[in-house]
Amino acid sequence: MIAEEAFPGTLSGIAALCIECKALTRAPIPVRWIESTSGPGTTLYACPDHAVKLGAGPTPDDVIRTR
């Protein structure tokens, strides 16, 4: 038995669900980052079609200055 037979739905590389259409995309674009009070934050992704509509939200690299 080869790996393709044992795991037919396995994709190699990066894949994520689009937060807008809920479809699996092989070209995920980070559009939101949700900070967590305990543990690491969560990055939400969109497919290329919906990333333009959603726009870029805050990411861990963004600096929010209060002064």
Side-chain angles (χ1 to χ4, degrees):
M1 179 178 279
I2 60 174
E4 288 79 18
E5 293 172 347
F7 305 101
T10 303
L11 300 172
S12 62
I14 298 172
L17 289 178
C18 174
I19 61 171
E20 185 71 18
C21 65
K22 309 297 187 260
L24 184 67
T25 178
R26 302 273 302 157
I29 299 170
V31 292
R32 299 285 184 273
W33 185 72
I34 301 172
E35 189 172 348
S36 175
T37 57
S38 62
T42 301
T43 302
L44 301 177
Y45 297 93
C47 64
D49 293 335
H50 290 115
V52 175
K53 173 186 165 191
L54 295 171
T59 63
D61 296 331
D62 291 339
V63 177
I64 300 173
R65 299 177 193 251
T66 57
R67 296 181 201 188

